[in-house]
Amino acid sequence: MYPFNEGSFAPLNCWYVAAFCDEIKGELLDRWICNKPFVMYRAQSGKVVALDGRCPHRHFPLGKSKLIGDEVECLYHGLRFNTEGACTKIPSQVHIPSSCHIKSYPVKEHGMWVFIWPGDPDLADVSLLPNLEDTGFTDKSFGCRPFFQVEIEGRYQLMNDNLLDLTHLAYLHANSIGNEGNASAPEEKEERENFMRSRRYLKNVPIMPAQQDAWDYKGMVNRLAGMDYYLPGFHAGLDVITIPEDHPERGGEELMNFRVFHAVTPGKLDTTNYFFGFGGRNIPEEEFERTKQFLWPVIEEDAMATKEIEIMLKSLDFDPRDIVLGSDSGSARGRQLLQKMMDDELR
């Protein structure tokens, strides 16, 4: 499936963000992940439970059913399943067939996210979760918090591609967070196993349109923009804006220091579960709400681009080939590494 090899969609033996922690409550949450239906909830003990979201009897979605205590009761015929996926009740009979059960999946609350391992549970390894200290998340001065959870109408890799090539900021987001320096500034890269890092240093560029009235400074600025990619779908970014060093009075002064967190999780074959979190160093509470308001149109722009590309891909009667530009090195490498993860799972 584009842009991967035929028969490849998404790796399974890895951690994906399934939800923000505050989404999981004592009620059922229905969500598709890696083209599988899941039902999630928080048990009375506080533990997060993730189960197969399809009743094995007549395939009714368990996410649209009932939570009775800590058990999921299918809304169609009343079969009940406990936190381990075992069937505990069939109202129409006493005997419970051994085949009547559903899978439970490893989950881990990590930072403000609930991560799920949709593959072989015996391979689940918490050491493979993103290093939140490296991302700045654990630095309390940023006050990191969830902003948006969106189901985007497009295959997940389109969003990974978007985040691995930030030159699009100069054009898709020209009226909000981008300027031409995003496309022309040289990129510094680092790679290690299941990890990619990108940094761009923009010198003497205009202030972003969305920040024109935010500060008592109107001149040119220096900007550090970067993204850390923890495969398969967790992106941690930073954006630091300072006054150029040669300013006679305020050289080097920090105007802005943000942390952004993008989690890209495959939904169905043509949808993406997208989670956006934000942190700003030592900014007042009201600034978080203002920032949330001005960032929402940016999220909508990315969702629009993804949706339109998905429509194009479905309309073609052939398998398209991309023209690879110099700026595509990050997204191209990300695709290669994801394909390797999928190939390794078949060995």
Side-chain angles (χ1 to χ4, degrees):
M1 180 176 179
Y2 175 90
F4 301 115
N5 296 341
E6 184 177 353
S8 295
F9 171 57
L12 297 178
N13 290 323
C14 47
W15 294 104
Y16 290 101
V17 170
F20 285 120
C21 292
D22 61 6
E23 287 187 273
I24 308 293
K25 303 172 183 176
E27 56 191 44
L28 301 180
L29 176 65
D30 185 22
R31 186 154 287 163
W32 281 73
I33 297 171
C34 294
N35 207 36
K36 297 179 180 181
F38 288 83
V39 60
M40 296 176 285
Y41 59 97
R42 196 175 293 276
Q44 296 175 56
S45 65
K47 171 188 173 183
V48 175
V49 178
L51 301 172
D52 189 347
R54 178 183 62 84
C55 181
H57 172 224
R58 291 288 178 82
H59 318 298
F60 190 84
L62 293 176
K64 292 178 170 57
S65 295
K66 293 181 179 180
L67 186 62
I68 308 295
D70 279 352
E71 297 189 337
V72 179
E73 181 180 271
C74 181
L75 189 63
Y76 201 8
H77 295 95
L79 279 71
R80 286 193 188 179
F81 302 91
N82 65 18
T83 59
E84 301 301 317
C87 183
T88 61
K89 180 180 179 182
I90 301 178
S92 60
Q93 65 186 57
V94 174
H95 174 66
I96 298 176
S98 59
S99 59
C100 191
H101 61 85
I102 56 178
K103 290 182 179 179
S104 67
Y105 293 85
V107 290
K108 177 67 176 179
E109 292 192 76
H110 188 57
M112 59 186 171
W113 304 273
V114 174
F115 285 81
I116 190 167
W117 185 279
D120 183 345
D122 292 335
L123 299 179
D125 182 353
V126 294
S127 71
L128 299 178
L129 288 162
N131 186 322
L132 298 184
E133 185 175 359
D134 285 354
T135 68
F137 178 84
T138 58
D139 185 337
K140 296 188 183 300
S141 69
F142 284 106
C144 300
R145 62 196 67 185
F147 265 19
F148 310 113
Q149 188 281 316
V150 185
E151 183 176 321
I152 295 178
E153 298 176 62
R155 62 198 70 185
Y156 77 98
Q157 189 54 29
L158 299 179
M159 281 301 296
N160 278 333
D161 289 346
N162 173 287
L163 293 164
L164 290 169
D165 177 13
L166 296 183
T167 63
H168 80 274
L169 269 65
Y171 303 98
L172 185 62
H173 307 307
N175 295 321
S176 53
I177 62 172
N179 59 52
E180 289 192 7
N182 292 112
S184 59
E187 183 180 16
E188 295 182 5
K189 302 174 187 176
E190 175 189 340
E191 182 182 321
R192 56 181 184 265
E193 186 174 6
N194 293 337
F195 176 84
M196 296 170 60
R197 170 168 288 169
S198 167
R199 295 289 184 270
R200 279 189 169 87
Y201 297 87
L202 289 66
K203 301 291 186 180
N204 291 300
V205 296
I207 296 173
M208 299 180 298
Q211 296 291 349
Q212 290 285 349
D213 300 320
W215 307 304
D216 62 346
Y217 174 81
K218 305 301 179 184
M220 306 295 274
V221 297
N222 291 341
R223 185 177 179 187
L224 166 60
M227 194 75 75
D228 292 349
Y229 177 35
Y230 296 84
L231 277 78
F234 188 83
H235 304 255
L238 74 162
D239 202 340
V240 183
I241 292 182
T242 57
I243 297 174
E245 295 290 346
D246 59 2
H247 190 281
E249 298 172 351
R250 303 175 64 181
E253 180 182 329
E254 186 176 277
L255 297 173
M256 182 189 84
N257 193 330
F258 289 169
R259 293 293 182 270
V260 290
F261 303 91
H262 311 262
V264 175
T265 300
K268 297 179 182 179
L269 293 177
D270 59 357
T271 66
T272 300
N273 299 303
Y274 174 70
F275 306 85
F276 179 83
F278 174 85
R281 174 165 281 167
N282 299 320
I283 66 174
E285 191 63 32
E286 60 271 18
E287 181 69 11
F288 277 99
E289 186 56 37
R290 192 189 78 83
T291 302
K292 188 174 184 178
Q293 291 177 8
F294 93 71
L295 282 178
W296 176 243
V298 180
I299 304 301
E300 288 186 308
E301 288 164 349
D302 285 329
M304 176 277 296
T306 301
K307 178 180 178 180
E308 291 300 326
I309 295 170
E310 181 65 36
I311 291 172
M312 180 67 72
L313 292 172
K314 287 181 176 176
S315 300
L316 298 175
D317 60 358
F318 60 92
D319 189 17
R321 295 178 64 88
D322 297 336
I323 294 176
V324 180
L325 307 178
S327 60
D328 294 323
S329 60
S331 55
R333 184 59 178 155
R335 292 178 181 184
Q336 289 175 351
L337 294 175
L338 278 172
Q339 184 66 61
K340 182 179 183 302
M341 291 178 72
M342 289 183 271
D343 292 345
D344 287 346
E345 289 182 358
L346 296 176
R347 292 192 177 104

